[in-house]
Each structure stands twice: as C-alpha cells, then as structure tokens.
Amino acid sequence: MADNTDVTLPLSISAGIHIGVIVILALGVDFSHKPEPMQQVSAPAVQAVMVDQQKVANQVEKLKQEKRDTERREHERQAELERKAQEATKAREREQAQIKQLEQERKQQEVETQKANEATKLAQVKQQQEKAKAVQAETDRKLKEQERKVSEEATQKAVEKRQVAEAAAAKAETDRKLKEDAERKKKAEAERKQKEDAANKLKDEAERKQKAEAARKQKADAEAKARAQQEQEMADALAAEQTALSQTMSKQVQSEMGKYQAMIKSTIQRNLVVDESMRGKTCTVSVRLASDGFVISSQTQGGDPNVCRAAKAAILKAGKLPVSPDPAVYNLMKEINLIVEPTF
C-alpha cells in the first residue's frame, strides 16, 4: 500500500500540472493579444502530457528498482549477520569447552596441591609443637631465675633497712648517754659551785632546778623522738617487705597467666585449619571459660574474616582450653581476648 501511495501522489501532481498547462495553452499564453483558436494547440498539449506520463512511469520504475536493490542488500546483510552470529556461537561453544577442560585441570591441580599442603602442615605442626615445648621450658627457667633474683633483692633491701634502723637506734642511745654524762657533769659542777658559794645557794638552787627541768624535758623529748623514729623505720622496713612479697606474688600470677595464654594459643593453633590467603593476617577473639576450661562462648572482635572463621572453628573443635588451678589466675583469665595469627 505504501508503494502505491508513493507512485500515485507524484503521478496525480504531474497530471494536475499538465492539465493546468493544457488549460492555459487552450486559453492562450499572452493575455494582451486575442486568443487563438483552440485547435492550433490541442495536438502539442496532448503529446506533452503523454511524454510527461512516460517520464513519470520511468521514474516510478526506477524507484521500484531501487527499492528492490535495497531489499536485496538488506537480505544479504541479514544473511551475513546470521552467518557471523553462527560463527560466533560456534566459537563461544569451543571456548566454553576449553574453559571447562581448563577448569577440570585446575580442580585436579588444586586437589594435588591441597594434599601436598596438608602433608606440609602436619610436618609444620609437629615442628611447631617441639619448638613451643622448648620455648616454654626456657621461659619457665628464666621466670624462676628472675623470681629468685627479685626475692633475694627484696630480702637484701629489708636487711639493709633493718641495719639502718638499728644504727639509728644505737646512735640515739649514744646521744642519750652523752647527754646524761653531760648532765651529771653539770650537776657535779653545780654542787661544787654550790659548796663554794653558800651566799648564792638559793639563787643557784633555783637556777639548777630550772636547768635540770629543762634538761629533763629535753632528754625526755629526745628519747621519745628517738623511739618514734625507730618505730617508724621498723614499720617502713616491714611495709617494704610486704610490698616486695606482694610484687613477687603478682609477678608469679602474671607468669602463670602468660604460661596458660601460651598453652591456650597452642591448643587453638593445633586445631586451626589455615590456607595461604591467611598468611600475615590476624583475628582478635574474646573467649569465656568455665573453671574446668570448658568454652562457654567465643566472639570475634575484629580481623580477617577467613582467619576469624577458622579461629572460631578451632575453638569449637577444642571444646576445652587449658586453665590454671589457681583461683586467682582463673579469675583473671576466665574472660580473655586472644590474637590468633596462623603459622606456616
């Protein structure tokens, strides 16, 4: 229908134009002259209309031929596209087959690599266990040596303080005796002077009593001060001994905590399944323990997701973790945060 419209419209326009030309020629071209008879132009006008119609028909045929050529080229283009699409489909199928083959080969290689890794990990675990035992033994030896030195130093300091206190007490006693001797000498001199000067007896007596009272008071004050100083020094020495003992016990508790933390980490490492993607990565895990070592709960606090999943699985697999029989150590370790780092 579109083709008929495309042809009919130009043909109608052309026919209308030619009819108009014929009418004008029939009426006469020059309106200033008398119209000529109609018979003189009729034949040429009809001939012109026929010629134009032939041109119109030729143009219509040309347009149809161009349309056929366009349709033929479009058909060829569609055929070429289909051919290329089929070739692309075949190439894609070949590529998918190659990918499938490569994937099968990769999986087989992964299985072989995993077997080799598992064998290597078993050897590494044994080596790490032996190394951990040696390190723990050396650590225990150093801790005991350090505790012995601390205890000896604390004892030596307490002895030195007691010696200082005793020396201070001895000095105070010496000073007291010197003062007593001086007082005795002063008294003797006063008595001698009293005998020599009877006239001034009453005056000297009063002065003697006043001086004696002052000396007595001074002596009593000095003795009280010396006793207070001696008591304070002995109290300080006792407090120092208590502090040293408390520090020693605190270090023992810290040593015990360090030992059991190492044992807990070693237990987790034994149950930890690792792969190469975890190398150099860590995870912080919060663990709550019962008094017998049973794991009440474990929560990850942050770190690599793969390491965290492996750590929680290792703790769950262990079920129980080492705990100290010492209540003080257990109370400090019943809720602990551990940094889990896979070893290779």
Side-chain angles (χ1 to χ4, degrees), residues 5-287:
T5 304
D6 293 340
V7 174
T8 305
L9 183 59
L11 185 60
S12 300
I13 294 171
S14 178
I17 292 171
H18 287 95
I19 291 171
V21 171
I22 293 171
V23 173
I24 292 171
L25 291 174
L27 295 176
V29 177
D30 189 359
F31 292 99
S32 62
H33 297 84
K34 183 177 179 180
E36 296 181 0
M38 185 175 181
Q39 288 78 3
Q40 295 180 1
V41 296
S42 299
V46 172
Q47 187 177 0
V49 170
M50 294 179 63
V51 171
D52 289 340
Q53 288 178 348
Q54 183 63 37
K55 289 182 178 180
V56 170
N58 291 338
Q59 184 66 25
V60 170
E61 183 61 28
K62 181 180 179 181
L63 292 173
K64 288 183 178 181
Q65 184 61 38
E66 289 178 354
K67 182 178 180 182
R68 286 192 295 271
D69 292 342
T70 300
E71 290 176 348
R72 178 180 55 77
R73 287 194 296 272
E74 179 63 21
H75 179 73
E76 291 175 352
R77 187 179 70 82
Q78 293 291 338
E80 180 66 16
L81 290 175
E82 290 179 358
R83 183 183 66 77
K84 289 181 178 181
Q86 291 176 355
E87 290 179 355
T89 300
K90 292 179 180 180
R92 190 162 53 250
E93 290 175 351
R94 290 194 297 272
E95 182 180 358
Q96 290 177 351
Q98 292 176 355
I99 291 172
K100 185 175 181 181
Q101 179 64 27
L102 291 173
E103 180 66 18
Q104 291 176 349
E105 293 175 357
R106 184 186 65 79
K107 289 182 177 179
Q108 180 64 28
Q109 186 176 2
E110 285 181 353
V111 171
E112 294 175 357
T113 302
Q114 185 176 3
K115 291 180 179 179
N117 289 338
E118 289 176 353
T120 302
K121 287 175 183 177
L122 288 174
Q124 289 176 347
V125 167
K126 291 182 179 179
Q127 183 179 2
Q128 289 171 358
Q129 289 175 349
E130 296 298 326
K131 184 177 179 181
K133 289 180 180 178
V135 170
Q136 184 62 40
E138 180 64 17
T139 300
D140 292 343
R141 186 190 66 78
K142 290 181 179 180
L143 287 173
K144 289 180 180 179
E145 181 65 20
Q146 185 178 4
E147 291 171 359
R148 184 186 63 79
K149 289 181 179 180
V150 170
S151 179
E152 289 178 354
E153 290 175 357
T155 303
Q156 182 63 29
K157 289 181 180 179
V159 170
E160 290 174 355
K161 287 187 176 181
R162 281 197 299 270
Q163 290 175 350
V164 170
E166 290 173 356
K171 185 177 182 302
E173 181 65 19
T174 301
D175 292 342
R176 184 185 65 81
K177 289 181 178 180
L178 289 174
K179 287 180 180 180
E180 288 179 351
D181 291 342
E183 290 296 330
R184 281 195 298 271
K185 289 179 180 180
K186 185 182 291 187
K187 183 178 180 181
E189 180 65 20
E191 290 176 352
R192 184 188 64 79
K193 190 175 181 180
Q194 184 180 16
K195 291 177 180 180
E196 290 178 355
D197 194 0
N200 297 322
K201 183 178 180 181
L202 293 176
K203 181 179 179 180
D204 291 341
E205 182 68 19
E207 291 178 355
R208 186 187 66 77
K209 288 181 178 181
Q210 185 177 2
K211 290 180 180 180
E213 181 62 22
R216 186 191 63 76
K217 185 176 181 181
Q218 183 179 7
K219 178 183 176 182
D221 292 343
E223 291 177 350
K225 184 176 181 181
R227 286 195 299 271
Q229 183 178 358
Q230 185 178 4
E231 291 174 356
Q232 182 62 42
E233 289 175 352
M234 293 181 68
D236 292 342
L238 181 61
E241 290 180 1
Q242 292 294 332
T243 301
L245 181 61
S246 177
Q247 290 177 350
T248 300
M249 292 180 65
S250 177
K251 289 182 179 179
Q252 289 176 350
V253 170
Q254 292 296 326
S255 172
E256 189 79 358
M257 287 178 63
K259 181 175 71 175
Y260 277 92
Q261 283 182 348
M263 292 171 64
I264 289 172
K265 287 185 177 180
S266 177
T267 302
I268 294 174
Q269 288 290 348
R270 286 198 301 272
N271 293 280
L272 192 66
V273 178
V274 300
D275 57 47
E276 190 62 28
S277 66
M278 299 180 186
R279 183 180 293 275
K281 299 177 181 178
T282 62
C283 178
T284 301
V285 183
S286 177
V287 181

Side-chain angles (χ1 to χ4, degrees), residues 297-321:
S297 65
S298 62
Q299 297 292 331
T300 57
Q301 302 297 323
D304 181 72
N306 292 333
V307 178
C308 289
R309 283 193 294 270
K312 289 199 69 175
I315 293 170
L316 182 62
K317 183 178 179 181
K320 285 187 176 183
L321 297 176

